[in-house]
Amino acid sequence: MARARTRTAVASLDTHCLIVAVPKQGPAEVSSNLPRPVAASALRQLANALDTDRRPPAPLDPSNVRAALDFTSHEPDQVLAALRDVLLDTKPPRNPEQALAAARIILAAHAHQLAALVEADLAEARSRWGLTRSSRGLLTGYDNARRALHTYADRLAAEQALAESAANERAEP
């Protein structure tokens, strides 16, 4: 007995951003007018939503946050995109320790990002004016700011490493 189609849907990229067609036989077709990273993120969120129907969601883990940072490496602002993804992922249960771990990891990455921006400004100022009596204070200030940001990021990373080590020790019998 053949099943008759009861409804036909028409979709167009004029009215939709992303169209996925999965036939019973053959490869799936994906049409999108979104940038590839955005379409990939939407598909990943869809896959995550479907996956949570089958098993209970896993709690936020530091490795998830690091994976979000790695996944967003192509974004213009990698740290901001990772923060967006972590904040949007609200289905898994959260506790203060997990939130603090996520904050440390993301803020450490952000501090390194800011230090790189300061370092770029330092290099530009040094190449423009050179090291003179009048530029020495500016260049020293840039260098001190860069070092302070790296120190802050390193402190956050050390605190997170200690917290993960303590959590691993508690988990082992």
Side-chain angles (χ1 to χ4, degrees):
M1 183 169 168
R3 182 174 175 198
R5 189 178 299 187
T6 58
R7 195 164 120 173
T8 301
V10 177
S12 158
L13 287 177
D14 293 334
T15 59
H16 295 76
C17 305
L18 177 67
I19 301 169
V20 179
V22 183
K24 290 191 181 211
Q25 293 179 344
E29 293 182 39
V30 177
S31 298
S32 176
N33 57 10
L34 297 170
R36 288 180 63 88
V38 176
S41 176
L43 290 170
R44 186 175 67 254
Q45 289 174 4
L46 177 63
N48 287 342
L50 293 172
D51 194 34
T52 58
D53 292 338
R54 294 190 197 116
R55 60 184 167 91
L60 181 64
D61 185 79
S63 62
N64 298 106
V65 179
R66 290 184 185 101
L69 279 167
D70 291 340
F71 184 78
T72 58
S73 62
H74 65 279
E75 297 274 344
D77 191 336
Q78 173 190 16
V79 176
L80 185 62
L83 178 61
R84 174 204 60 212
D85 292 348
V86 169
L87 291 176
L88 285 175
D89 186 20
T90 59
K91 291 201 187 265
R94 305 280 194 248
N95 65 37
E97 184 177 317
Q98 294 166 339
L100 185 59
R104 281 187 194 118
I105 293 166
I106 290 173
L107 286 174
H110 186 59
H112 282 301
Q113 184 182 39
L114 292 174
L117 291 172
V118 170
E119 192 161 348
D121 278 356
L122 169 64
E124 193 272 328
R126 185 174 285 144
S127 68
R128 177 184 287 177
W129 296 304
L131 181 60
T132 65
R133 177 178 268 177
S134 59
S135 69
R136 183 179 313 241
L138 174 69
L139 297 176
T140 301
Y142 272 131
D143 195 45
N144 288 342
R146 181 189 56 80
R147 271 189 272 143
L149 287 165
H150 279 303
T151 299
Y152 175 64
D154 292 343
R155 182 178 58 83
L156 288 171
E159 287 175 7
Q160 183 56 31
L162 287 173
E164 288 179 33
S165 175
N168 289 339
E169 287 178 13
R170 285 193 305 267
E172 292 177 0

